[in-house]
Amino acid sequence: MPSILVYLVRHGETEENRQHIIQGQLNTQLSETGRDQARRLAVGLRDTEFARAYSSDLTRAVDTAQAVLKLHPGTPLVPQKALRERYFGALQGKVRTSRDNPPDAELLDDLVNRSLTWWDATIVPLTGAESIPGARILVVSHGGFIAGLIRGMGRKKEYDIGKAGGRILNTGITILKLEPGGYGSVLQYSNVDHLQEVKRDVVETNVDDVDIKA
């Protein structure tokens, strides 16, 4: 039974990204820069046929996914709450002033477990009873979620993640190969070659990412 490729993509830039404001699960919008990044992402993926497409149900992720799918009109988008960014509680909408999180923030382990639960329920079956041979799957989510998922795959599922780690850039493309039986490996991590012409303007810091103290 053939393997599948999963394209994990972070949403385009928001004004909050630029201002280093923690968004978490706030429903923020793509900025003009973010919309341009999404268009460039779409062009970069125009020759990749997607069998299925999922996104976080937050607008910045949905709009990024829809930009890609404009060039793939036969692939419907399925927004899912489970793909949301890490919840930061009282810190959402604010600039971080310390490395400590409020007591109502989602714990890092809970984020990792949530991401792995989603993966096992939604993606792994596509190599088994719900097999789509040779399929490519688009998943548009958030930097902290994707980084947490990769971390969990390496530590809890023993996937081959190589040297993958660190921040996921806006519209960065991470590709995982998933074999029948559920074993996976990271082929590419946070690639932004599609932003080559504007790469110097990409926000390098992601205050919602998992490298901040849990």
Side-chain angles (χ1 to χ4, degrees), residues 38-65:
R39 289 190 291 267
R40 293 174 184 272
L41 169 70
V43 172
L45 294 175
R46 65 185 180 279
D47 295 326
T48 304
E49 295 298 326
F50 293 109
R52 295 192 183 180
Y54 303 93
S55 78
S56 160
D57 64 346
L58 298 178
T59 301
R60 58 191 184 272
V62 171
D63 287 353
T64 301

PDB file of all heavy atoms in Angstrom, residues 38-65:
ATOM      1  N   ALA A  38       0.297  34.185   1.180  1.00  0.00           N
ATOM      2  CA  ALA A  38      -0.611  33.087   0.838  1.00  0.00           C
ATOM      3  C   ALA A  38      -0.705  32.908  -0.675  1.00  0.00           C
ATOM      4  O   ALA A  38      -0.750  31.777  -1.176  1.00  0.00           O
ATOM      5  CB  ALA A  38      -1.991  33.341   1.437  1.00  0.00           C
ATOM      6  N   ARG A  39      -0.716  34.030  -1.405  1.00  0.00           N
ATOM      7  CA  ARG A  39      -0.742  33.930  -2.874  1.00  0.00           C
ATOM      8  C   ARG A  39       0.539  33.297  -3.401  1.00  0.00           C
ATOM      9  O   ARG A  39       0.503  32.476  -4.326  1.00  0.00           O
ATOM     10  CB  ARG A  39      -0.954  35.324  -3.484  1.00  0.00           C
ATOM     11  CG  ARG A  39      -2.365  35.886  -3.284  1.00  0.00           C
ATOM     12  CD  ARG A  39      -2.588  37.138  -4.104  1.00  0.00           C
ATOM     13  NE  ARG A  39      -1.807  38.271  -3.612  1.00  0.00           N
ATOM     14  CZ  ARG A  39      -2.256  39.165  -2.733  1.00  0.00           C
ATOM     15  NH1 ARG A  39      -3.491  39.054  -2.252  1.00  0.00           N
ATOM     16  NH2 ARG A  39      -1.509  40.183  -2.360  1.00  0.00           N
ATOM     17  N   ARG A  40       1.668  33.678  -2.836  1.00  0.00           N
ATOM     18  CA  ARG A  40       2.939  33.090  -3.255  1.00  0.00           C
ATOM     19  C   ARG A  40       2.998  31.601  -2.898  1.00  0.00           C
ATOM     20  O   ARG A  40       3.531  30.776  -3.652  1.00  0.00           O
ATOM     21  CB  ARG A  40       4.104  33.848  -2.619  1.00  0.00           C
ATOM     22  CG  ARG A  40       4.256  35.281  -3.131  1.00  0.00           C
ATOM     23  CD  ARG A  40       5.337  36.043  -2.362  1.00  0.00           C
ATOM     24  NE  ARG A  40       5.408  37.435  -2.787  1.00  0.00           N
ATOM     25  CZ  ARG A  40       6.156  37.880  -3.796  1.00  0.00           C
ATOM     26  NH1 ARG A  40       6.905  37.023  -4.480  1.00  0.00           N
ATOM     27  NH2 ARG A  40       6.170  39.158  -4.122  1.00  0.00           N
ATOM     28  N   LEU A  41       2.462  31.261  -1.732  1.00  0.00           N
ATOM     29  CA  LEU A  41       2.366  29.860  -1.330  1.00  0.00           C
ATOM     30  C   LEU A  41       1.546  29.064  -2.347  1.00  0.00           C
ATOM     31  O   LEU A  41       1.942  27.965  -2.768  1.00  0.00           O
ATOM     32  CB  LEU A  41       1.714  29.768   0.050  1.00  0.00           C
ATOM     33  CG  LEU A  41       1.297  28.380   0.539  1.00  0.00           C
ATOM     34  CD1 LEU A  41       2.526  27.530   0.848  1.00  0.00           C
ATOM     35  CD2 LEU A  41       0.404  28.508   1.776  1.00  0.00           C
ATOM     36  N   ALA A  42       0.409  29.638  -2.743  1.00  0.00           N
ATOM     37  CA  ALA A  42      -0.463  28.965  -3.708  1.00  0.00           C
ATOM     38  C   ALA A  42       0.252  28.695  -5.023  1.00  0.00           C
ATOM     39  O   ALA A  42       0.145  27.601  -5.595  1.00  0.00           O
ATOM     40  CB  ALA A  42      -1.717  29.799  -3.945  1.00  0.00           C
ATOM     41  N   VAL A  43       1.001  29.683  -5.486  1.00  0.00           N
ATOM     42  CA  VAL A  43       1.749  29.494  -6.731  1.00  0.00           C
ATOM     43  C   VAL A  43       2.801  28.396  -6.559  1.00  0.00           C
ATOM     44  O   VAL A  43       2.999  27.553  -7.441  1.00  0.00           O
ATOM     45  CB  VAL A  43       2.410  30.817  -7.169  1.00  0.00           C
ATOM     46  CG1 VAL A  43       3.356  30.590  -8.342  1.00  0.00           C
ATOM     47  CG2 VAL A  43       1.336  31.840  -7.548  1.00  0.00           C
ATOM     48  N   GLY A  44       3.440  28.384  -5.393  1.00  0.00           N
ATOM     49  CA  GLY A  44       4.454  27.371  -5.139  1.00  0.00           C
ATOM     50  C   GLY A  44       3.898  25.962  -5.093  1.00  0.00           C
ATOM     51  O   GLY A  44       4.617  24.995  -5.356  1.00  0.00           O
ATOM     52  N   LEU A  45       2.608  25.838  -4.745  1.00  0.00           N
ATOM     53  CA  LEU A  45       1.975  24.527  -4.623  1.00  0.00           C
ATOM     54  C   LEU A  45       1.011  24.231  -5.772  1.00  0.00           C
ATOM     55  O   LEU A  45       0.264  23.261  -5.705  1.00  0.00           O
ATOM     56  CB  LEU A  45       1.216  24.434  -3.291  1.00  0.00           C
ATOM     57  CG  LEU A  45       2.067  24.465  -2.021  1.00  0.00           C
ATOM     58  CD1 LEU A  45       1.172  24.493  -0.784  1.00  0.00           C
ATOM     59  CD2 LEU A  45       3.026  23.283  -1.961  1.00  0.00           C
ATOM     60  N   ARG A  46       1.041  25.041  -6.817  1.00  0.00           N
ATOM     61  CA  ARG A  46       0.055  24.898  -7.883  1.00  0.00           C
ATOM     62  C   ARG A  46       0.130  23.550  -8.604  1.00  0.00           C
ATOM     63  O   ARG A  46      -0.881  23.064  -9.123  1.00  0.00           O
ATOM     64  CB  ARG A  46       0.179  26.034  -8.903  1.00  0.00           C
ATOM     65  CG  ARG A  46       1.488  26.050  -9.682  1.00  0.00           C
ATOM     66  CD  ARG A  46       1.570  27.278 -10.582  1.00  0.00           C
ATOM     67  NE  ARG A  46       2.804  27.341 -11.358  1.00  0.00           N
ATOM     68  CZ  ARG A  46       3.966  27.779 -10.906  1.00  0.00           C
ATOM     69  NH1 ARG A  46       4.045  28.211  -9.655  1.00  0.00           N
ATOM     70  NH2 ARG A  46       5.037  27.785 -11.674  1.00  0.00           N
ATOM     71  N   ASP A  47       1.307  22.932  -8.630  1.00  0.00           N
ATOM     72  CA  ASP A  47       1.458  21.658  -9.336  1.00  0.00           C
ATOM     73  C   ASP A  47       1.333  20.451  -8.408  1.00  0.00           C
ATOM     74  O   ASP A  47       1.539  19.313  -8.837  1.00  0.00           O
ATOM     75  CB  ASP A  47       2.808  21.607 -10.051  1.00  0.00           C
ATOM     76  CG  ASP A  47       2.910  22.643 -11.163  1.00  0.00           C
ATOM     77  OD1 ASP A  47       1.876  22.919 -11.808  1.00  0.00           O
ATOM     78  OD2 ASP A  47       4.016  23.182 -11.382  1.00  0.00           O
ATOM     79  N   THR A  48       0.996  20.714  -7.142  1.00  0.00           N
ATOM     80  CA  THR A  48       0.808  19.632  -6.178  1.00  0.00           C
ATOM     81  C   THR A  48      -0.683  19.344  -6.049  1.00  0.00           C
ATOM     82  O   THR A  48      -1.443  20.197  -5.590  1.00  0.00           O
ATOM     83  CB  THR A  48       1.383  20.009  -4.800  1.00  0.00           C
ATOM     84  OG1 THR A  48       2.762  20.354  -4.935  1.00  0.00           O
ATOM     85  CG2 THR A  48       1.234  18.861  -3.813  1.00  0.00           C
ATOM     86  N   GLU A  49      -1.110  18.168  -6.470  1.00  0.00           N
ATOM     87  CA  GLU A  49      -2.526  17.810  -6.405  1.00  0.00           C
ATOM     88  C   GLU A  49      -2.856  17.278  -5.011  1.00  0.00           C
ATOM     89  O   GLU A  49      -2.247  16.310  -4.551  1.00  0.00           O
ATOM     90  CB  GLU A  49      -2.847  16.765  -7.469  1.00  0.00           C
ATOM     91  CG  GLU A  49      -2.698  17.268  -8.898  1.00  0.00           C
ATOM     92  CD  GLU A  49      -3.646  18.420  -9.211  1.00  0.00           C
ATOM     93  OE1 GLU A  49      -4.774  18.424  -8.660  1.00  0.00           O
ATOM     94  OE2 GLU A  49      -3.261  19.312  -9.974  1.00  0.00           O
ATOM     95  N   PHE A  50      -3.817  17.913  -4.360  1.00  0.00           N
ATOM     96  CA  PHE A  50      -4.201  17.516  -3.003  1.00  0.00           C
ATOM     97  C   PHE A  50      -5.499  16.709  -3.028  1.00  0.00           C
ATOM     98  O   PHE A  50      -6.509  17.141  -3.590  1.00  0.00           O
ATOM     99  CB  PHE A  50      -4.378  18.752  -2.121  1.00  0.00           C
ATOM    100  CG  PHE A  50      -3.088  19.481  -1.861  1.00  0.00           C
ATOM    101  CD1 PHE A  50      -2.846  20.722  -2.439  1.00  0.00           C
ATOM    102  CD2 PHE A  50      -2.116  18.918  -1.048  1.00  0.00           C
ATOM    103  CE1 PHE A  50      -1.651  21.390  -2.211  1.00  0.00           C
ATOM    104  CE2 PHE A  50      -0.913  19.579  -0.810  1.00  0.00           C
ATOM    105  CZ  PHE A  50      -0.684  20.818  -1.391  1.00  0.00           C
ATOM    106  N   ALA A  51      -5.450  15.534  -2.390  1.00  0.00           N
ATOM    107  CA  ALA A  51      -6.638  14.688  -2.307  1.00  0.00           C
ATOM    108  C   ALA A  51      -7.599  15.196  -1.240  1.00  0.00           C
ATOM    109  O   ALA A  51      -8.820  15.076  -1.380  1.00  0.00           O
ATOM    110  CB  ALA A  51      -6.237  13.251  -2.003  1.00  0.00           C
ATOM    111  N   ARG A  52      -7.047  15.750  -0.161  1.00  0.00           N
ATOM    112  CA  ARG A  52      -7.864  16.304   0.922  1.00  0.00           C
ATOM    113  C   ARG A  52      -7.166  17.543   1.476  1.00  0.00           C
ATOM    114  O   ARG A  52      -5.950  17.681   1.360  1.00  0.00           O
ATOM    115  CB  ARG A  52      -8.086  15.277   2.032  1.00  0.00           C
ATOM    116  CG  ARG A  52      -8.894  14.068   1.597  1.00  0.00           C
ATOM    117  CD  ARG A  52      -9.332  13.222   2.759  1.00  0.00           C
ATOM    118  NE  ARG A  52     -10.051  12.042   2.304  1.00  0.00           N
ATOM    119  CZ  ARG A  52     -10.563  11.120   3.100  1.00  0.00           C
ATOM    120  NH1 ARG A  52     -10.429  11.244   4.420  1.00  0.00           N
ATOM    121  NH2 ARG A  52     -11.200  10.070   2.610  1.00  0.00           N
ATOM    122  N   ALA A  53      -7.962  18.406   2.106  1.00  0.00           N
ATOM    123  CA  ALA A  53      -7.405  19.621   2.686  1.00  0.00           C
ATOM    124  C   ALA A  53      -8.098  19.929   4.007  1.00  0.00           C
ATOM    125  O   ALA A  53      -9.331  19.921   4.087  1.00  0.00           O
ATOM    126  CB  ALA A  53      -7.566  20.800   1.723  1.00  0.00           C
ATOM    127  N   TYR A  54      -7.298  20.192   5.026  1.00  0.00           N
ATOM    128  CA  TYR A  54      -7.797  20.535   6.355  1.00  0.00           C
ATOM    129  C   TYR A  54      -7.150  21.850   6.796  1.00  0.00           C
ATOM    130  O   TYR A  54      -6.055  22.188   6.369  1.00  0.00           O
ATOM    131  CB  TYR A  54      -7.427  19.452   7.368  1.00  0.00           C
ATOM    132  CG  TYR A  54      -7.909  18.068   7.011  1.00  0.00           C
ATOM    133  CD1 TYR A  54      -7.090  17.189   6.300  1.00  0.00           C
ATOM    134  CD2 TYR A  54      -9.173  17.634   7.386  1.00  0.00           C
ATOM    135  CE1 TYR A  54      -7.521  15.916   5.970  1.00  0.00           C
ATOM    136  CE2 TYR A  54      -9.615  16.359   7.059  1.00  0.00           C
ATOM    137  CZ  TYR A  54      -8.784  15.500   6.350  1.00  0.00           C
ATOM    138  OH  TYR A  54      -9.220  14.239   6.016  1.00  0.00           O
ATOM    139  N   SER A  55      -7.850  22.561   7.663  1.00  0.00           N
ATOM    140  CA  SER A  55      -7.252  23.751   8.266  1.00  0.00           C
ATOM    141  C   SER A  55      -7.828  23.954   9.653  1.00  0.00           C
ATOM    142  O   SER A  55      -8.897  23.426   9.988  1.00  0.00           O
ATOM    143  CB  SER A  55      -7.508  25.008   7.413  1.00  0.00           C
ATOM    144  OG  SER A  55      -8.826  25.488   7.607  1.00  0.00           O
ATOM    145  N   SER A  56      -7.112  24.707  10.451  1.00  0.00           N
ATOM    146  CA  SER A  56      -7.700  25.257  11.667  1.00  0.00           C
ATOM    147  C   SER A  56      -8.936  26.056  11.281  1.00  0.00           C
ATOM    148  O   SER A  56      -9.032  26.582  10.171  1.00  0.00           O
ATOM    149  CB  SER A  56      -6.676  26.173  12.345  1.00  0.00           C
ATOM    150  OG  SER A  56      -7.288  27.079  13.235  1.00  0.00           O
ATOM    151  N   ASP A  57      -9.898  26.156  12.195  1.00  0.00           N
ATOM    152  CA  ASP A  57     -11.104  26.931  11.889  1.00  0.00           C
ATOM    153  C   ASP A  57     -10.925  28.429  12.142  1.00  0.00           C
ATOM    154  O   ASP A  57     -11.865  29.212  11.942  1.00  0.00           O
ATOM    155  CB  ASP A  57     -12.309  26.401  12.680  1.00  0.00           C
ATOM    156  CG  ASP A  57     -12.148  26.554  14.189  1.00  0.00           C
ATOM    157  OD1 ASP A  57     -11.019  26.821  14.661  1.00  0.00           O
ATOM    158  OD2 ASP A  57     -13.155  26.392  14.909  1.00  0.00           O
ATOM    159  N   LEU A  58      -9.731  28.857  12.558  1.00  0.00           N
ATOM    160  CA  LEU A  58      -9.466  30.282  12.740  1.00  0.00           C
ATOM    161  C   LEU A  58      -9.204  30.940  11.389  1.00  0.00           C
ATOM    162  O   LEU A  58      -8.582  30.348  10.508  1.00  0.00           O
ATOM    163  CB  LEU A  58      -8.280  30.484  13.683  1.00  0.00           C
ATOM    164  CG  LEU A  58      -8.490  29.937  15.108  1.00  0.00           C
ATOM    165  CD1 LEU A  58      -7.243  30.140  15.946  1.00  0.00           C
ATOM    166  CD2 LEU A  58      -9.706  30.583  15.769  1.00  0.00           C
ATOM    167  N   THR A  59      -9.681  32.177  11.241  1.00  0.00           N
ATOM    168  CA  THR A  59      -9.723  32.831   9.934  1.00  0.00           C
ATOM    169  C   THR A  59      -8.370  32.901   9.252  1.00  0.00           C
ATOM    170  O   THR A  59      -8.266  32.727   8.030  1.00  0.00           O
ATOM    171  CB  THR A  59     -10.317  34.245  10.082  1.00  0.00           C
ATOM    172  OG1 THR A  59     -11.636  34.139  10.640  1.00  0.00           O
ATOM    173  CG2 THR A  59     -10.407  34.946   8.740  1.00  0.00           C
ATOM    174  N   ARG A  60      -7.307  33.177  10.002  1.00  0.00           N
ATOM    175  CA  ARG A  60      -5.995  33.325   9.362  1.00  0.00           C
ATOM    176  C   ARG A  60      -5.542  32.029   8.692  1.00  0.00           C
ATOM    177  O   ARG A  60      -4.851  32.061   7.671  1.00  0.00           O
ATOM    178  CB  ARG A  60      -4.956  33.815  10.369  1.00  0.00           C
ATOM    179  CG  ARG A  60      -4.738  32.944  11.603  1.00  0.00           C
ATOM    180  CD  ARG A  60      -3.883  33.700  12.617  1.00  0.00           C
ATOM    181  NE  ARG A  60      -3.521  32.949  13.814  1.00  0.00           N
ATOM    182  CZ  ARG A  60      -4.254  32.880  14.919  1.00  0.00           C
ATOM    183  NH1 ARG A  60      -5.441  33.485  14.975  1.00  0.00           N
ATOM    184  NH2 ARG A  60      -3.820  32.213  15.976  1.00  0.00           N
ATOM    185  N   ALA A  61      -5.943  30.888   9.247  1.00  0.00           N
ATOM    186  CA  ALA A  61      -5.601  29.599   8.643  1.00  0.00           C
ATOM    187  C   ALA A  61      -6.546  29.262   7.494  1.00  0.00           C
ATOM    188  O   ALA A  61      -6.115  28.793   6.432  1.00  0.00           O
ATOM    189  CB  ALA A  61      -5.636  28.493   9.695  1.00  0.00           C
ATOM    190  N   VAL A  62      -7.836  29.515   7.694  1.00  0.00           N
ATOM    191  CA  VAL A  62      -8.821  29.239   6.637  1.00  0.00           C
ATOM    192  C   VAL A  62      -8.509  30.048   5.383  1.00  0.00           C
ATOM    193  O   VAL A  62      -8.504  29.517   4.262  1.00  0.00           O
ATOM    194  CB  VAL A  62     -10.252  29.551   7.127  1.00  0.00           C
ATOM    195  CG1 VAL A  62     -11.248  29.491   5.972  1.00  0.00           C
ATOM    196  CG2 VAL A  62     -10.665  28.573   8.221  1.00  0.00           C
ATOM    197  N   ASP A  63      -8.209  31.331   5.548  1.00  0.00           N
ATOM    198  CA  ASP A  63      -7.936  32.183   4.390  1.00  0.00           C
ATOM    199  C   ASP A  63      -6.661  31.756   3.663  1.00  0.00           C
ATOM    200  O   ASP A  63      -6.586  31.831   2.428  1.00  0.00           O
ATOM    201  CB  ASP A  63      -7.830  33.648   4.824  1.00  0.00           C
ATOM    202  CG  ASP A  63      -9.184  34.252   5.189  1.00  0.00           C
ATOM    203  OD1 ASP A  63     -10.210  33.571   4.970  1.00  0.00           O
ATOM    204  OD2 ASP A  63      -9.205  35.388   5.685  1.00  0.00           O
ATOM    205  N   THR A  64      -5.661  31.304   4.415  1.00  0.00           N
ATOM    206  CA  THR A  64      -4.435  30.808   3.783  1.00  0.00           C
ATOM    207  C   THR A  64      -4.732  29.546   2.972  1.00  0.00           C
ATOM    208  O   THR A  64      -4.285  29.408   1.823  1.00  0.00           O
ATOM    209  CB  THR A  64      -3.362  30.512   4.848  1.00  0.00           C
ATOM    210  OG1 THR A  64      -3.093  31.712   5.590  1.00  0.00           O
ATOM    211  CG2 THR A  64      -2.076  30.012   4.202  1.00  0.00           C
ATOM    212  N   ALA A  65      -5.482  28.635   3.558  1.00  0.00           N
ATOM    213  CA  ALA A  65      -5.831  27.398   2.855  1.00  0.00           C
ATOM    214  C   ALA A  65      -6.673  27.684   1.616  1.00  0.00           C
ATOM    215  O   ALA A  65      -6.459  27.080   0.551  1.00  0.00           O
ATOM    216  CB  ALA A  65      -6.580  26.466   3.798  1.00  0.00           C
TER     217      ALA A  65
END
